[in-house]
Amino acid sequence: MKSRLLILALAVFSFSAFRANAQVDVTVNPIGLLFGDLSVGADFILSDEFSVEGTIGIGGGSDDFSNLKWTNIPIGVVGKYYFNPDDGADKFYADAFLRFISRSYKADGDTNYSEYSQTRFGLGVGIGYKSVSRSGIVFDIGFGVGRALIDNTKFESDGDEYNVDWPDIMFQGKLGIGYRFGG
């Protein structure tokens, strides 16, 4: 339920930001595809120096050998401030982010493997660089670090459930390739 409310809030915020300015950078993370994750982002340009990006990803897979299935759903909102932009919302930037992550590993069938689930919500800061070509091709790379405010990590083995103390640190990485629409 919490994740649905977060998605709804992100959609409402994104729509209002889109109405404020018709320029948006849509990107996909190609590195995530190597690991079975698809992550897309929409960066709404509010002014030459400010933008707000919403990201959502989905990933999963299975291992036939161990009968394990996994899922991964990251959702994020990133506010960016650009230093000395050339073409509006480009070049070096500093950011602040909110990040929600839901992960699970579950055994499919009667196996000896344990199950794991994690739900985290946190905030942090980061840096990055965005380049936009004359034809509108966008390349965005960034890295951030923050703290988990909510961390619910559980491990289940042989019918016993354990809460796991996980480090409160959160990381956010971005390698986005896409296109700038509008403007």
Side-chain angles (χ1 to χ4, degrees):
M1 183 66 173
K2 290 179 188 179
S3 63
R4 289 182 184 159
L5 290 175
L6 185 62
I7 291 171
L8 179 62
L10 178 63
V12 169
F13 182 77
S14 298
F15 181 74
S16 64
F18 183 70
R19 286 186 49 205
N21 190 333
Q23 198 170 33
V24 62
D25 297 340
V26 177
T27 57
V28 65
N29 181 1
I31 300 296
L33 293 173
L34 297 174
F35 303 103
D37 293 333
L38 175 63
S39 179
V40 295
D43 196 2
F44 299 95
I45 291 108
L46 303 176
S47 72
D48 284 351
E49 291 85 18
F50 292 100
S51 71
V52 176
E53 181 176 27
T55 62
I56 187 164
I58 189 161
S62 63
D63 181 356
D64 292 334
F65 178 73
S66 62
N67 292 325
L68 285 177
K69 291 186 177 187
W70 63 89
T71 60
N72 179 31
I73 301 173
I75 300 171
V77 176
V78 183
K80 299 177 181 178
Y81 174 77
Y82 297 88
F83 301 97
N84 300 318
D86 280 342
D87 295 319
D90 66 345
K91 296 177 85 175
F92 182 73
Y93 62 84
D95 67 46
F97 67 85
L98 295 172
R99 186 165 167 83
F100 171 81
I101 303 168
S102 177
R103 296 182 180 113
S104 68
Y105 294 83
K106 297 191 183 237
D108 185 25
D110 190 23
T111 66
N112 294 327
Y113 292 95
S114 302
E115 296 184 0
Y116 165 87
S117 67
Q118 182 179 58
T119 303
R120 302 182 90 200
F121 177 76
L123 56 93
V125 295
I127 58 171
Y129 187 86
K130 183 194 290 185
S131 176
V132 182
S133 73
R134 291 186 191 266
S135 61
I137 303 298
V138 176
F139 179 74
D140 190 353
I141 186 167
F143 178 76
V145 64
R147 182 170 191 267
L149 303 174
I150 297 171
D151 186 359
N152 185 7
T153 304
K154 294 181 181 176
F155 178 76
E156 185 178 330
S157 179
D158 297 326
D160 295 327
E161 189 173 291
Y162 306 96
N163 287 329
V164 179
D165 287 330
W166 195 262
D168 287 340
I169 195 163
M170 292 185 81
F171 295 102
Q172 173 169 287
K174 167 121 181 153
L175 175 59
I177 299 173
Y179 186 76
R180 177 170 282 181
F181 294 94

